[in-house]
Amino acid sequence: MKRNLLNAAVVAAAAIVTQPGALLAADTIPVGVIANLTGQDVNTSLQMARGVELAADEINAAGGIDGKMIELIVEDSEYKAQEALTAATKLYQVNQVPAVIMFGGSSLMIPVGELAQQEGKVLINTSSSSAKLGDYPGALFSILPLDDIVGKELGQYVYDKGARSIATIVPNNTFGTGIAEAAGAAFEAAGGKIVRKVAYTEGQPDYRA
């Protein structure tokens, strides 16, 4: 999985570095990695980043890509949108990487996707699913289906199972509300009725209210 992910980034990088004006060392292919090394969900992000590093080591040990070694440049997003944007700006503009692999939520991925499009670079989305990520064709590539696709299938699945009235209970974040909106629209379009919509804040000490 991680090798396939890195291969996708390298293919994108190789395509860009062959364009006129590409400023890269002749013996390396630089690839950026943005991960929440501090902040929320650190363990998952660390493991994914290490997986990419292992894949790079394996590819380089086998001779690299057409004799060029992969050079990973890793930056910390701290799971904050501004830090992710700062990291991406450094990678694209200072390090001149043509492609970035990123781990993090949609609130981070969306602004970085916009930057990638502006810079004419590539962003590989590994962990976000907001339907808004589809607004950056040619720049942002996702390895997982987005919320509008998953939600539509989920809403239709519930209706096909015989449910005609449902309630939705989701975390009050981009992922939760995005899935609920898409699933609810598909369920209602099939003829179902949503009787209650609840979006809750995670991490509360008490949910009795």
Side-chain angles (χ1 to χ4, degrees), residues 24-111:
L24 297 174
D27 58 344
T28 63
I29 299 176
V31 176
V33 177
I34 299 177
N36 41 303
L37 306 178
T38 58
Q40 302 177 31
D41 196 23
V42 171
N43 290 336
T44 300
S45 198
L46 276 175
Q47 294 304 318
M48 296 184 77
R50 287 168 180 164
V52 173
E53 291 172 352
L54 288 172
D57 290 343
E58 181 181 332
I59 292 171
N60 287 341
I65 305 295
D66 293 332
K68 297 179 182 291
M69 299 294 104
I70 298 171
E71 177 190 1
L72 294 181
I73 305 174
V74 182
E75 297 289 339
D76 184 12
S77 71
E78 301 179 23
Y79 214 102
K80 298 176 182 177
Q82 185 55 56
E83 293 301 324
L85 196 56
T86 298
T89 300
K90 173 183 176 294
L91 289 168
Y92 288 138
Q93 297 182 359
V94 179
N95 300 115
Q96 292 289 300
V97 304
V100 167
I101 300 170
M102 184 169 166
F103 312 105
S106 296
S107 60
L108 283 66
M109 201 71 64
I110 290 171

Side-chain angles (χ1 to χ4, degrees), residues 89-165:
T89 300
K90 173 183 176 294
L91 289 168
Y92 288 138
Q93 297 182 359
V94 179
N95 300 115
Q96 292 289 300
V97 304
V100 167
I101 300 170
M102 184 169 166
F103 312 105
S106 296
S107 60
L108 283 66
M109 201 71 64
I110 290 171
V112 175
E114 183 174 346
L115 176 65
Q117 189 174 64
Q118 292 172 353
E119 295 288 328
K121 302 295 180 68
V122 167
L123 176 64
I124 307 293
N125 163 37
T126 68
S127 52
S128 303
S129 57
S130 170
K132 294 180 180 178
L133 295 173
D135 294 341
Y136 309 103
L140 192 152
F141 299 87
S142 299
I143 67 167
L144 69 168
L146 302 184
D147 292 344
D148 53 343
I149 298 172
V150 175
K152 180 179 179 181
E153 294 299 322
L154 178 60
Q156 187 63 53
Y157 174 81
V158 173
Y159 186 86
D160 291 344
K161 284 296 182 179
R164 295 297 180 265
S165 61

